[in-house]
Amino acid sequence: MAYDPTNIFAKILKGEMPCHKVYEDETALVMMDIFPQAKGHTLIIPKAASRNLLDADPAALSAVIPLVQRVANAVKTVTNADGIRLAQFNEAPAGQTVFHLHFHVIPAYEGQALGAHASGRGDDAELATLAAEVAAKL
Ligand code: AMP
């Protein structure tokens, strides 16, 4: 399927929609997921247009993975999580809901079940605080 440039992450990348931004450079944007599956759920979004991993430019993938690692470590430090899940979904049957490539960094806490995917809306004040704290650790 073709990339749809009207998807919500494309709008956020263009600055047409707000986000709880953690970090941005010429290749990627990092922001808090507003429907967090766990406290500290963060998204890394390469700027290069692709629906998902399957149609991504390998060069864009090579550029983004070190940033995913940095974000995972920063999120783990800030949240004091016991582990980090890395998730990335390709097409709707696999769970993808926004069709612009992104990587989920989801903290795991001992004894806590993972929340549902893209369900409860996070608190904006808490998301803003987390964004600033993760940014400070990057
Ligand atoms: P996926 O299902 O892998 O496509 O993930 C899309 C993710 O984007 C979900 O976890 C949603 O909670 C999240 N999401 C949707 N809209 C927004 C938004 N405006 N800002 C931040 N996260 C969003």
Side-chain angles (χ1 to χ4, degrees):
M1 254 184 283
Y3 177 78
D4 174 4
T6 66
N7 74 78
I8 191 162
F9 288 177
K11 289 181 180 163
I12 290 171
L13 288 172
K14 282 189 261 175
E16 294 171 4
M17 300 257 313
C19 71
H20 289 289
K21 189 189 290 188
V22 172
Y23 173 83
E24 183 171 14
D25 65 18
E26 62 284 355
T27 63
L29 174 76
V30 180
M31 67 179 183
M32 304 313 296
D33 194 305
I34 58 169
F35 300 95
Q37 285 182 264
K39 181 182 169 185
H41 185 163
T42 306
L43 300 172
I44 298 93
I45 309 172
K47 290 187 173 176
S50 74
R51 277 177 70 81
N52 53 43
L53 183 85
L54 303 175
D55 61 334
D57 179 348
L61 297 176
S62 302
V64 79
I65 290 298
L67 178 60
V68 172
Q69 182 191 37
R70 280 173 63 201
V71 171
N73 277 309
V75 168
K76 188 170 183 296
T77 300
V78 165
T79 60
N80 213 15
D82 300 300
I84 293 289
R85 294 182 189 85
L86 179 63
Q88 191 279 313
F89 305 108
N90 299 285
E91 300 302 334
Q96 187 175 9
T97 58
V98 178
F99 297 93
H100 181 113
L101 175 63
H102 54 280
F103 296 83
H104 298 256
V105 163
I106 309 175
Y109 302 97
E110 197 74 54
Q112 272 184 36
L114 179 65
H117 185 51
S119 58
R121 177 77 165 81
D123 174 71
D124 279 312
E126 186 184 13
L127 292 172
T129 300
L130 281 164
E133 288 175 350
V134 175
K137 294 289 179 201
L138 271 180

